[in-house]
Amino acid sequence: MSEKLANDVKTSHTKVALISMAVLFVMLAISVVVALLSSRGMPTQLGLTVPMWALIIALASQWFGFVHAYFYQTERYYDLVGAIANITVISFTLSFAEHRDLRALLLAVLIILWALRLGSFLFVRILNDGGDGRFDDIKTNFFRFLLTWTLQGVWVFFIQLCAILAISVQNTQPLDGFAIAGGILWLLGMTIETVADWQKRRFRSQPQNKDQFINTGLWARSRHPNYFGEIVLWLGVAVVAWPVLNAWMYLGLLSPCFVIFLLSRVSGVPLLEARADRRWEGNADYLHYKNTTPVLIPKLR
């Protein structure tokens, strides 16, 4: 019986490894194709276009972080490395731009401010909490953990793709209504995300709320208001970038689409909803909250 169990476990691990490697290969292939297509006609820097360099930097930084993380079996620096990668990629893009106009500077500033805020918040949170429960079953498996770090590298590339292309484009345009509208959207999203994170952190810091779920403030209007804010701010970045995109560069609009897909279907809402359902299973108050509160888009009343 024990031998059969051991064989089943081995088979399961092999299956997970194969699936993880297949997904990793597909993600990398799609990323390279998008980088090549979206940068058609662009000048090269040291033999490659800026989008290709951005993808390489994003992935290399994550794989470097993975080596340390797997060796020490820790997710402590996952979000910090992601934030540093975001800042590095956009700074590199700006430094290689042939025409650094106000739109390019605005896009870079918006992304750097976002990365600094979110990266520092997540790093402090994981230091205080001592870990991230989402990684408990992942970090012990080499291929799943590698896939997670690779996904973050792909995430860095795709969420910035619209800005990368807009900054790298040769034809520039002065700031206009799109820049103003996009800036307002970014500010709105940034505010919602920041306030939601602060409210949840404050809620969890109070001893009487131990083992309770938050349903106050913005969290009374959406079960994931921070993710809603994240989506809105990246839509704002895309709006700022829109006027200078052309031809294959419209692939940059994958940026907000990728954010929406990732948060609503992959690593954001599904994982947290599953954890919450397990944690408060049978809790009448939680079931009422879940049935009366939208999962993402906040209700107005």
Side-chain angles (χ1 to χ4, degrees):
M1 187 70 174
S2 60
E3 182 178 352
K4 182 180 184 300
L5 180 61
N7 289 332
D8 289 343
V9 170
K10 185 177 180 180
T11 301
S12 177
H13 285 176
T14 302
K15 184 178 179 180
V16 168
L18 291 174
I19 293 175
S20 298
M21 293 307 295
V23 173
L24 189 150
F25 177 79
V26 171
M27 285 196 310
L28 292 179
I30 292 174
S31 301
V32 170
V33 169
V34 170
L36 289 172
L37 289 177
S38 61
S39 57
R40 289 185 65 179
M42 279 190 180
T44 60
Q45 303 285 353
L46 303 178
L48 295 173
T49 61
V50 172
M52 280 302 303
W53 276 118
L55 178 59
I56 291 171
I57 292 171
L59 291 172
S61 63
Q62 301 314 300
W63 289 336
F64 181 79
F66 163 75
V67 173
H68 172 273
Y70 185 74
F71 183 81
Y72 288 100
Q73 283 295 284
T74 179
E75 68 277 15
R76 176 172 295 182
Y77 302 106
Y78 182 77
D79 295 308
L80 180 62
V81 173
I84 293 173
N86 272 295
I87 294 172
T88 302
V89 166
I90 200 64
S91 299
F92 170 85
T93 301
L94 189 64
S95 68
F96 268 17
E98 295 185 359
H99 306 285
R100 286 186 287 272
D101 63 350
L102 290 178
R103 190 183 305 274
L105 291 173
L106 175 60
L107 287 167
V109 168
L110 295 181
I111 290 176
I112 290 173
L113 288 177
W114 162 80
L116 287 172
R117 202 291 304 180
L118 185 60
S120 60
F121 170 79
L122 293 176
F123 185 55
V124 170
R125 185 182 70 176
I126 203 168
L127 288 179
N128 291 335
D129 294 348
D132 187 334
R134 293 176 299 175
F135 290 87
D136 290 346
D137 297 327
I138 296 176
K139 62 187 177 184
T140 56
N141 186 294
F142 178 90
F143 293 102
R144 287 187 68 191
F145 205 24
L146 174 61
L147 178 62
T148 302
W149 281 86
T150 303
L151 177 60
Q152 181 161 253
V154 172
W155 168 74
V156 170
F157 171 71
F158 269 104
I159 63 173
Q160 291 200 38
L161 181 59
C162 207
I164 290 169
L165 296 175
I167 292 173
S168 304
V169 72
Q170 292 183 317
N171 62 302
T172 61
Q173 293 186 25
L175 294 181
D176 51 14
F178 283 96
I180 296 173
I184 292 173
L185 272 178
W186 179 91
L187 183 60
L188 175 63
M190 184 75 160
T191 301
I192 292 173
E193 183 179 47
T194 302
V195 171
D197 285 340
W198 175 80
Q199 288 177 340
K200 191 170 187 178
R201 198 68 202 163
R202 184 171 178 270
F203 178 87
R204 286 184 170 179
S205 68
Q206 298 172 348
Q208 66 270 27
N209 293 327
K210 184 179 180 181
D211 297 326
Q212 300 297 315
F213 62 91
I214 182 171
N215 59 354
T216 57
L218 292 177
W219 299 85
R221 300 181 178 278
S222 167
R223 302 207 297 274
H224 302 279
N226 53 336
Y227 289 159
F228 175 75
E230 178 87 349
I231 290 170
V232 170
L233 75 85
W234 283 108
L235 285 172
V237 171
V239 172
V240 174
W242 169 265
V244 295
L245 300 180
N246 60 79
W248 285 97
M249 287 186 178
Y250 285 118
L251 282 172
L253 297 179
L254 287 172
S255 290
C257 296
F258 183 79
V259 173
I260 294 171
F261 174 72
L262 191 66
L263 292 181
S264 65
R265 293 290 183 266
V266 183
S267 65
V269 171
L271 289 180
L272 293 181
E273 286 286 301
R275 285 180 61 196
D277 288 344
R278 290 194 300 269
R279 186 172 184 179
W280 291 295
E281 182 180 8
N283 184 314
D285 291 335
Y286 172 72
L287 292 176
H288 175 74
Y289 171 71
K290 184 174 182 180
N291 291 330
T292 58
T293 308
V295 65
L296 191 61
I297 301 176
K299 59 183 179 181
L300 298 179
R301 291 186 179 183

